[in-house]
Amino acid sequence: MKKFTCVQDIGPLDKALEDARLIKKDRFAFTDLGKNKTLLMIFFNSSLRTRLSTQKAAMNLGMNVMVLDVNQGAWKLETERGVVMDGDKAEHLLEAIPVMGSYCDIIGVRSFASLTDKKADYEEKVLNQFIKFSGKPVFSMEAATRHPLQSFADLITIEEFKTKERPKVVLTWAPHPRPLPQAVANSFAEWMNATDYDFVITHPEGYELDPKFVGKAKVEYDRDKAFKNADFIYAKNWSAYSDPNYGKVLSTDRHWTVDTKSMDLTDGAFFMHCLPVRRNMIVTDDVLESEKSIVIPEAANREISAQTVLFRFLKTL
């Protein structure tokens, strides 16, 4: 494996899940694999779970870890070719990337969507420059269009908690006061479509995702109908994808907040969210704190998804 940016990069899901179970059984069984190997984690955006879980995963494998916050303590980086660098950006990514690559063995990159230029966001310019110019294996710690480490952890969690072979999984839009990228929703949809689950996406009109991520999922605009007999409810906000409203908030309708009444429509569904979560906007306190909420085990599995990916990289170095 030379890169990890989407579900296709992980290969057969049954094998990936087998590796994840092996690692979760004993996180420290492969510490020799990462000896004298260095992971460089590069953050263009803030992080809590991704930073801690990925760093812990690397340490479990015996790796050295370096963390670079691009916006704190580093030169401001220019990302576009052909610009006259007469502003506040002192270094170009095209020089910075191969320099970074010379100091490490594996690179993780976190770079969000701008939500102002859909074409640039969906071309994944920053992430793809690292893949092209670093000379090292690169994985996404959330990019403009996907969050594969989160989605892999989501899959691991569903497999651990499901009570039937083919559960009904519902991705539901929920209100948020700020515009958020489509990355988590896109990625979750992509991974769910790679399974044989009964997968449904529900959202208000105007919040349709890129069709390539929707895939074979059923899209239902009636949330109550979508929730009926569900086994897992995955709540997430995302801003509009379609032009001319790309990156905009079109609605903050609290009807879409996940509450006890809506969860009662399900078949005793588990509640999931990638965190951080806006209480009583995305989900009410009582649902988030209920025994059917699995957001903490879901977050804990971020360590397992990251370690599985690093484990596979290390085996090929």
Side-chain angles (χ1 to χ4, degrees), residues 203-308:
H203 55 73
E205 291 189 20
Y207 280 100
E208 292 78 10
L209 295 168
D210 183 338
K212 77 176 183 181
F213 293 112
V214 175
K216 64 183 181 181
K218 179 182 178 182
V219 176
E220 175 56 69
Y221 294 100
D222 183 334
R223 190 195 65 168
D224 291 352
K225 185 176 179 182
F227 273 40
K228 189 175 180 181
N229 299 321
D231 299 294
F232 292 89
I233 298 296
Y234 194 106
K236 185 69 181 77
N237 174 267
W238 61 88
S239 58
Y241 165 76
S242 299
D243 296 324
N245 294 316
Y246 178 70
K248 293 181 181 179
V249 174
L250 304 180
S251 171
T252 55
D253 183 358
R254 297 295 182 88
H255 166 73
W256 287 82
T257 299
V258 179
D259 57 13
T260 300
K261 183 179 178 181
S262 59
M263 290 297 287
D264 285 344
L265 299 170
T266 73
D267 189 15
F270 291 102
F271 176 79
M272 301 178 70
H273 188 278
C274 61
L275 302 181
V277 64
R278 299 258 183 161
R279 284 175 175 248
N280 303 307
M281 281 289 293
I282 298 288
V283 58
T284 58
D285 290 331
D286 50 351
V287 172
L288 190 59
E289 296 171 7
S290 75
E291 63 180 13
K292 301 298 286 189
S293 172
I294 54 175
V295 298
I296 303 304
E298 180 185 1
N301 276 330
R302 291 294 307 279
E303 178 185 346
I304 305 306
S305 66
Q307 189 167 339
T308 303

Side-chain angles (χ1 to χ4, degrees), residues 43-105:
F43 292 89
F44 289 83
N45 300 95
S46 301
S47 174
L48 189 153
R49 276 149 296 278
T50 298
R51 178 182 297 232
L52 296 179
S53 63
T54 308
Q55 188 165 354
K56 179 64 164 59
M59 293 165 63
N60 293 348
L61 291 166
M63 298 187 75
N64 303 311
V65 182
M66 298 188 296
V67 179
L68 176 65
D69 285 299
V70 171
N71 297 318
Q72 296 181 14
W75 298 113
K76 288 188 177 180
L77 294 173
E78 177 59 63
T79 60
E80 298 295 326
R81 294 187 76 255
V83 298
V84 177
M85 292 176 57
D86 59 356
D88 64 344
K89 296 177 179 178
E91 185 163 10
H92 202 289
L93 208 57
L94 292 177
E95 286 77 62
I97 289 173
V99 169
M100 294 177 196
S102 71
Y103 300 144
C104 64
D105 300 283

